[in-house]
Amino acid sequence: MGGGAGIPTAAAVPGATAPEPDIGLAERLFERLRRQTADGRGVTRAAFGEGEQCAHDLVAAEGEAAGLRKHVDAGGNLYLTLPGHGATGRTILLGSHLDSVPMGGNYDGAAGVFAGLAIAAAWSRAGCSLADDLAVLALRAEESNWFPFSYIGSRMALGLLPPEALELARSDTGSSLAEHMRDLGLRPQEVAAGVPQIRPETIRAYVELHIEQGPVLIEADRPVALVDGIRGSFRYRQMRVLGEYAHSGAVPRAYRHDAVVAAADLVTRLHREWLRLEAEGRDLTLTFGQFYTDPAQHAFSKIAGEVSLSLDIRSHEAKTLETARALAHRHVDEVAAEHGVRIDTGPPTGSTPALMDRTLIQTFLTAKDALGLERFVMPSGAGHDAATFAGAGVPSLMLFVRNRNGSHNPDEAMEMDDFAAATRLLAEGVARIA
Amino acid sequence: MGGGAGIPTAAAVPGATAPEPDIGLAERLFERLRRQTADGRGVTRAAFGEGEQCAHDLVAAEGEAAGLRKHVDAGGNLYLTLPGHGATGRTILLGSHLDSVPMGGNYDGAAGVFAGLAIAAAWSRAGCSLADDLAVLALRAEESNWFPFSYIGSRMALGLLPPEALELARSDTGSSLAEHMRDLGLRPQEVAAGVPQIRPETIRAYVELHIEQGPVLIEADRPVALVDGIRGSFRYRQMRVLGEYAHSGAVPRAYRHDAVVAAADLVTRLHREWLRLEAEGRDLTLTFGQFYTDPAQHAFSKIAGEVSLSLDIRSHEAKTLETARALAHRHVDEVAAEHGVRIDTGPPTGSTPALMDRTLIQTFLTAKDALGLERFVMPSGAGHDAATFAGAGVPSLMLFVRNRNGSHNPDEAMEMDDFAAATRLLAEGVARIA
């Protein structure tokens, strides 16, 4: 029983490597899912809607056909389990989500679920098992454009969704989350009661494979990375710089309260601070994604009296996030005073950075070595369900697969070879979780 | 015949001062015009439309009642003339416009015409005259929001309107300038032929009283200023900074092409250049009145791939305008290179600075002294019909009246006492034009 990688199996496992995942199965699923959820330009899989349900059905059917045990929890999350032989009472979760943004790409989310299924199905068919249960977990509603709330599926799984979130309206239908759940025969009242669908202490590990949403692996020429932390955020989603509209030619500089000049100064100052913190080796991103004068009032011949802008600061280092927050405060105050404008930052929002589990990172680095993959570790700038599990004390890890053109658009482009390499690493790492 | 100020009169004129203008007449006209062109919030006097025509009718009736000679030229400009006694064949014009922006203020434009009428009517009734003809000139279509072209009325008067301008559509009706003129019984074909309605060499002087559109006189605590020049302009009305949309958390700084950061840097750099030129004593204004990310694509969690912005540079010094233009070019190129973005400036537009006549300035400074008003000279940042006359070689001058809250809005607030002081200065200055 069992190879060096800790995989007890009915069949023999050669050497230290895990049985080969069924990449072909994943490939067929990508193709069918793309076809079934195509929207003309990309794919659309509304959370608790048709596209997401179609993906859940596809995955459930394939999992059951491979002999995995199917379970759907009160929130609609799907578990496909390969029972362990060790009666440990613990489960290793290979999870991700199956919804997409509107006109999104085929791989964001689905890649993680299909990778898990490619492993669990192959092992099930080969008669292999781990001591712990191994469950593929298809989570609901990760993309917050459908309901304006983060990590709905994973919070439901852990009994952590605030009840009021069930009343949020879906952006396309206007119907509430609870209504959409009832339409699918799910149990919002149980979710509202905060009943954990799976208890954190029974989860041996949560591991999520996901496409990278930036260009780091493309630029570094690496197929797959381990993620050491998920960046937390500090945000002013709706700031306003309030100056005074006036004639562009008739008002001398000394009498101006120019909202554009003030807001531009704020952008430039904080960008300069980013350069400085980056030079100190701190992890940070800093983005003013929206910056606009009022179309009803602005004119080329008017000094701008108002600018709306958003600030999104992220770091996987809690201390850096705090430093950046304090710098934003300071420069907001200084800019307001220097330019004679008022700056209303609006309410701050944000999230806590989530650290990935150090032991899991070590295990997977060793797995990389075993597969001849170069070690490469990076933070995740985007949020993922892994942050929910890490926040609940579950040892968690993410793998990023190289991907071109970012995500949340139809042009995202993951090569199947990279997916295969990452899925093999996922299998090898999971097999090594002692 | 004639007092020390060069006013030959049938009645005696005491000392060196001109006969008192009829401020009460102007006050009644302001009140009636406000009532007749009210739009609920401010006043609206569409060029070659109802509001403007109403103002022309009011002024014509009052002028004729005071014995002035009425003439309407091919373009609809109204002349109310007090004939001179000297048979000089020359005319002193006291002009301004009677249109307003939509929801505008009562004084922008009308103040200059009413001041002229208060003088000419009072002198006519008192039996006074100058050697030259003195004509109140109510010009058409100065506000370029109705037809996108500057100084339409004064260009028509001098035979300088390009014929294609007659095909421009009015922003509210969509009908062409020529059509609107025909509706009023005017003669667009004569305007198209470039026939001067008044020959520049017959104009002794063009003097325009206007409310100040900035806060300079309020801040300086002066009721009236002489204007030494009308700023010319250099404009990029529609620039675009083109970067790359990407995930705000997932893309490190080195791989960004952030249009907001680049555009903000451009604003900050040019603002710094303004500070430097200002410290050298150069006349300049520099305004980015519009600055906006694309509402269809921007998001707080996306690096901005595009910013649209406008740049309006003004100076009454041709050399400073050229310096600023060159600086704008240089910084556009540097910012594009440093931030890895493309900057499409779009076509430049602009106008030439217009210098006011030095002899007229001296004459009016002396008139100020005579009236016990402190000398105060400033440039005009906004464009005015005086620029057309100055450009055609006519000795031209403007007087600015103190005014609160800028112009082009219902809140513009000129005190009648300031208007009276400025109108007396206008009378005194005109009387002193030898």
Side-chain angles (χ1 to χ4, degrees):
Chain A
M1 296 270 297
I7 303 193
T9 104
V13 176
T17 55
E20 190 69 6
D22 187 352
I23 302 299
L25 166 62
E27 231 168 323
R28 287 191 303 276
L29 279 175
F30 279 129
E31 198 37 50
R32 284 163 63 192
L33 184 57
R34 182 198 301 278
R35 220 172 33 237
Q36 291 181 29
T37 60
D39 58 17
R41 173 90 179 84
V43 301
T44 296
R45 301 166 193 158
F48 294 99
E50 213 179 330
E52 186 187 60
Q53 189 56 48
C54 162
H56 275 249
D57 293 344
L58 268 181
V59 168
E62 285 291 343
E64 290 194 289
L68 302 176
R69 197 178 63 211
K70 172 184 160 187
H71 169 67
V72 176
D73 72 14
N77 300 304
L78 168 69
Y79 307 70
L80 292 163
T81 304
L82 172 67
H85 65 269
T88 60
R90 297 200 297 184
T91 305
I92 295 173
L93 295 174
L94 305 182
S96 198
H97 61 96
L98 288 175
D99 60 328
S100 78
V101 299
M103 285 205 284
N106 200 35
Y107 304 114
D108 184 337
V113 178
F114 292 179
L117 191 61
I119 294 167
W123 290 4
S124 175
R125 289 201 165 109
C128 301
S129 66
L130 300 172
D132 297 325
D133 287 357
L134 177 70
V136 180
L137 172 53
L139 292 160
R140 292 276 180 178
E142 195 264 353
E143 301 292 0
S144 63
N145 60 292
W146 299 108
F147 300 99
F149 205 81
S150 296
Y151 314 143
I152 289 175
S154 49
R155 288 187 207 236
M156 284 178 168
L158 295 173
L160 297 173
L161 192 78
E164 57 273 23
L166 289 160
E167 299 315 315
L168 292 171
R170 205 172 79 182
S171 54
D172 55 343
T173 61
S175 297
S176 74
L177 173 52
E179 285 164 340
H180 278 288
M181 290 177 71
R182 274 191 289 267
D183 287 349
L184 293 174
L186 303 172
R187 305 189 297 280
Q189 67 287 359
E190 193 175 321
V191 169
V195 180
Q197 306 296 305
I198 179 167
R199 284 178 300 120
E201 61 275 21
T202 67
I203 306 173
R204 180 71 185 80
Y206 173 88
V207 189
E208 181 169 357
L209 176 152
H210 201 281
I211 56 168
E212 193 211 332
Q213 294 167 279
V216 175
L217 288 171
I218 295 275
E219 298 286 341
D221 195 21
R222 296 275 186 282
V224 54
L226 304 185
V227 171
D228 53 355
I230 297 174
R231 288 183 178 130
S233 61
F234 175 79
R235 289 163 185 166
Y236 289 128
R237 289 190 185 219
Q238 198 54 264
M239 302 176 75
R240 287 165 75 218
V241 178
L242 298 157
E244 220 172 272
Y245 288 103
H247 195 294
S248 67
V251 179
R253 209 189 48 77
Y255 305 129
R256 292 185 176 215
H257 305 276
D258 187 326
V260 163
V261 169
D265 191 17
L266 183 63
V267 170
T268 303
R269 283 160 174 254
L270 286 177
H271 192 73
R272 204 181 305 128
E273 296 287 7
W274 185 10
L275 285 172
R276 192 174 61 73
L277 291 168
E278 193 181 55
E280 290 174 8
R282 316 270 289 264
D283 176 69
L284 191 69
T285 65
L286 193 152
T287 310
F288 293 90
Q290 300 174 309
F291 185 132
Y292 52 98
T293 44
D294 178 359
Q297 298 207 63
H298 69 184
F300 84 90
S301 60
K302 254 193 206 174
I303 297 161
E306 182 171 349
V307 166
S308 300
L309 72 167
S310 65
L311 171 60
D312 177 39
I313 294 176
R314 307 199 195 197
S315 176
H316 66 85
E317 301 155 358
K319 192 182 143 220
T320 300
L321 215 48
E322 176 49 31
T323 304
R325 193 198 58 77
L327 285 168
H329 270 224
R330 200 189 86 203
H331 287 293
V332 159
D333 289 347
E334 286 182 12
V335 164
E338 278 186 30
H339 294 275
V341 298
R342 200 160 65 75
I343 301 184
D344 173 4
T345 61
T349 66
S351 60
T352 311
L355 286 183
M356 299 293 93
D357 185 73
R358 292 194 176 279
T359 308
L360 282 177
I361 292 174
Q362 282 311 317
T363 303
F364 275 73
L365 283 174
T366 313
K368 268 196 143 184
D369 296 342
L371 296 179
L373 291 165
E374 279 176 276
R375 291 180 168 214
F376 195 87
V377 178
M378 62 179 285
S380 169
H384 295 284
D385 288 304
T388 309
F389 288 96
V394 174
S396 300
L397 182 65
M398 291 194 73
L399 273 58
F400 271 175
V401 189
R402 174 164 53 189
N403 162 57
R404 204 171 282 279
N405 305 326
S407 72
H408 293 185
N409 71 69
D411 303 323
E412 64 179 40
M414 176 187 72
E415 300 291 337
M416 246 344 113
D417 283 352
D418 292 342
F419 173 76
T423 303
R424 277 185 210 107
L425 173 60
L426 181 59
E428 186 64 30
V430 165
R432 285 165 185 270
I433 297 175
Chain B
M1 293 270 297
I7 304 194
T9 106
V13 176
T17 56
E20 190 69 6
D22 187 352
I23 303 298
L25 166 63
E27 231 168 325
R28 286 191 304 278
L29 278 174
F30 279 129
E31 198 37 50
R32 284 163 62 193
L33 184 57
R34 183 198 301 279
R35 220 171 35 238
Q36 292 182 27
T37 60
D39 58 19
R41 174 89 180 83
V43 301
T44 296
R45 301 166 193 159
F48 294 99
E50 212 179 332
E52 185 188 61
Q53 189 57 48
C54 162
H56 276 248
D57 292 345
L58 268 181
V59 169
E62 285 292 343
E64 289 194 289
L68 302 177
R69 197 179 64 211
K70 173 185 161 188
H71 169 67
V72 176
D73 72 14
N77 300 303
L78 168 69
Y79 305 71
L80 292 163
T81 304
L82 172 67
H85 65 269
T88 60
R90 298 201 297 183
T91 306
I92 295 174
L93 295 173
L94 304 182
S96 198
H97 61 96
L98 289 175
D99 60 329
S100 78
V101 299
M103 285 207 282
N106 201 34
Y107 304 114
D108 184 338
V113 178
F114 293 179
L117 192 61
I119 294 166
W123 291 4
S124 174
R125 290 200 164 108
C128 300
S129 66
L130 301 172
D132 297 326
D133 287 357
L134 177 71
V136 180
L137 171 53
L139 292 160
R140 293 277 180 177
E142 195 264 353
E143 302 291 0
S144 64
N145 59 293
W146 300 109
F147 300 99
F149 205 81
S150 295
Y151 314 144
I152 289 175
S154 50
R155 289 188 207 235
M156 283 179 169
L158 295 172
L160 297 173
L161 192 77
E164 58 272 23
L166 289 160
E167 299 315 315
L168 293 170
R170 204 171 80 182
S171 54
D172 57 343
T173 62
S175 297
S176 73
L177 173 51
E179 284 165 340
H180 278 287
M181 291 177 72
R182 274 191 288 268
D183 286 349
L184 293 173
L186 303 172
R187 305 188 298 281
Q189 66 288 1
E190 195 175 319
V191 168
V195 180
Q197 306 296 304
I198 179 167
R199 284 179 298 119
E201 61 274 21
T202 67
I203 307 173
R204 179 72 184 82
Y206 173 87
V207 189
E208 180 168 358
L209 175 150
H210 201 281
I211 57 168
E212 193 211 333
Q213 294 168 278
V216 174
L217 289 171
I218 294 274
E219 297 286 340
D221 195 21
R222 298 276 185 280
V224 55
L226 304 184
V227 172
D228 52 356
I230 296 173
R231 289 184 178 131
S233 61
F234 174 79
R235 289 164 184 165
Y236 289 128
R237 289 190 185 220
Q238 197 56 262
M239 303 175 76
R240 287 165 76 218
V241 177
L242 298 158
E244 220 173 273
Y245 288 103
H247 194 292
S248 68
V251 180
R253 209 188 49 76
Y255 305 129
R256 291 184 176 217
H257 305 276
D258 187 326
V260 163
V261 169
D265 190 18
L266 183 63
V267 170
T268 304
R269 282 161 175 255
L270 287 177
H271 192 71
R272 204 179 306 128
E273 297 286 6
W274 184 11
L275 285 172
R276 191 174 61 73
L277 291 168
E278 193 182 55
E280 290 174 10
R282 317 268 290 264
D283 176 68
L284 191 70
T285 65
L286 193 151
T287 309
F288 293 90
Q290 300 173 309
F291 186 133
Y292 52 97
T293 44
D294 178 0
Q297 297 207 61
H298 69 184
F300 84 90
S301 60
K302 254 193 206 173
I303 297 162
E306 182 171 349
V307 166
S308 300
L309 73 166
S310 65
L311 171 61
D312 177 38
I313 294 177
R314 306 199 195 197
S315 175
H316 65 86
E317 301 154 359
K319 191 183 143 216
T320 300
L321 215 49
E322 175 49 31
T323 303
R325 192 197 59 76
L327 285 167
H329 270 225
R330 201 189 84 203
H331 286 295
V332 160
D333 288 347
E334 286 183 11
V335 164
E338 278 185 29
H339 293 275
V341 298
R342 200 159 67 75
I343 302 184
D344 173 4
T345 61
T349 65
S351 60
T352 312
L355 287 181
M356 299 291 93
D357 185 74
R358 293 197 175 277
T359 309
L360 282 176
I361 293 173
Q362 281 312 315
T363 303
F364 275 73
L365 284 174
T366 313
K368 269 197 141 183
D369 297 342
L371 295 179
L373 291 165
E374 281 176 275
R375 292 179 168 215
F376 195 87
V377 179
M378 62 179 285
S380 169
H384 295 284
D385 288 303
T388 308
F389 288 96
V394 174
S396 300
L397 182 66
M398 291 194 73
L399 272 59
F400 271 174
V401 189
R402 174 163 54 190
N403 163 57
R404 205 172 281 278
N405 304 327
S407 73
H408 294 185
N409 71 69
D411 303 322
E412 65 179 41
M414 176 187 72
E415 299 291 336
M416 249 339 117
D417 283 353
D418 291 341
F419 173 77
T423 303
R424 279 185 209 107
L425 172 61
L426 180 60
E428 187 63 30
V430 165
R432 286 165 184 269
I433 297 175

